[in-house]
Amino acid sequence: MRPLRNPVVRGVLAFLLAEWMRFCFATIRWTHQDRDKAEAVWDAGGGVICAFWHQRIGLSRAGWPLPRAQEARALISLSPDGQFIADAVARLGIPAIRGSSQKAAAPERAKGGSAAMRDALRWLRTGALAITPDGPRGPARTMGEGLPVMARLSKRPVLFIGLACKPAIRLNSWDQAILPLPFGRGAIVWDKGHYPEGLEPEAVVPLWIERLNAVEARADRLVGATPNTGAAA
């Protein structure tokens, strides 16, 4: 039995991970770039979609300062690994909506997908929804139509968030996920967009991949990490 399928083991590991991230976030020296774009969204209130690549999910809580920003939920897969991530981020103040952004364009193909889409759109009336458009299994830095479809249906703005830190631990996972180390340097870069009228979701995908790659690369450069790898020192 895989460890994450055991609820007791999963709960202990989620607690340890959440506390580790809390400690790291408090000791990292953060640099912000284009925060005014996020500040405008926070001041306006209402729903907003927050998008970042799955590799940076371990840094994502640092990019959403509760209670300054809207109350947030995270769209997380129904897998045991997803449950572990959901448990950890919930301890950091961001509960989960369980489903998959990759299957949002065709929710009938995913177990619980249609319910997750309904819950996500309902939440986006007033709150923030965090999405990793290459999750839950990749390939890394690819995007299905789920994120554009959700933005189109909800008519809410999208914040593209680039996150980086150095030094960091890079895991041997499909996305080479990074975890922060304390007392290092961190960077958060924001970009803001809306669903472009007149385009179909498949045409929006490459445009939004480029925007996500751009903010992440800028964050990497600010801390001296190799772009798109999250390379540790």
Side-chain angles (χ1 to χ4, degrees):
M1 181 175 63
R2 294 176 58 190
L4 292 182
R5 295 185 183 276
N6 184 311
V8 175
V9 173
R10 187 174 63 231
V12 171
L13 292 177
F15 169 79
L16 293 174
L17 177 60
E19 292 305 307
W20 175 254
M21 290 192 293
R22 199 188 307 274
F23 172 65
C24 291
F25 294 159
T27 61
I28 288 172
R29 302 183 305 278
W30 293 99
T31 298
H32 297 166
Q33 194 171 90
D34 290 336
R35 183 182 169 112
D36 59 304
K37 296 178 180 179
E39 292 279 358
V41 170
W42 301 337
D43 288 340
V48 57
I49 300 171
C50 306
F52 47 90
W53 291 130
H54 199 277
Q55 185 190 63
R56 310 302 167 102
I57 198 169
L59 303 176
S60 59
R61 177 63 181 83
W64 205 251
L66 297 171
R68 169 68 179 92
Q70 290 94 322
E71 187 177 357
R73 297 285 185 270
L75 185 61
I76 298 176
S77 76
L78 292 166
S79 68
D81 290 353
Q83 184 62 58
F84 169 63
I85 295 171
D87 291 346
V89 297
R91 290 182 176 276
L92 295 171
I94 302 181
I97 293 173
R98 304 301 304 280
S100 169
S101 62
Q102 291 282 42
K103 298 295 181 63
E108 71 281 356
R109 297 180 187 174
K111 180 181 178 182
S114 58
M117 177 63 116
R118 290 194 300 270
D119 291 345
L121 291 173
R122 188 179 302 115
W123 179 255
L124 280 170
R125 295 172 186 170
T126 58
L129 183 69
I131 293 178
T132 56
D134 55 344
R137 295 186 178 88
R141 293 183 177 81
T142 64
M143 184 185 299
E145 296 178 19
L147 173 59
V149 166
M150 193 166 293
R152 186 185 200 180
L153 292 176
S154 68
K155 304 187 188 311
R156 298 304 186 189
V158 179
L159 279 176
F160 304 95
I161 306 175
L163 304 124
C165 68
K166 186 177 181 180
I169 299 169
R170 186 163 70 242
L171 303 181
N172 186 26
S173 56
W174 65 266
D175 60 347
Q176 294 189 309
I178 66 173
L179 293 178
L181 290 171
F183 306 107
R185 298 167 57 197
I188 307 170
V189 179
W190 286 273
D191 187 15
K192 178 185 174 185
H194 291 82
Y195 187 89
E197 294 296 331
L199 293 184
E200 292 300 315
E202 61 267 23
V204 176
V205 166
L207 303 177
W208 284 7
I209 288 175
E210 183 177 356
R211 295 181 77 166
L212 268 180
N213 285 340
V215 291
E216 187 179 275
R218 286 164 60 194
D220 282 332
R221 286 193 293 269
L222 285 170
V223 301
T226 304
N228 291 337
T229 68

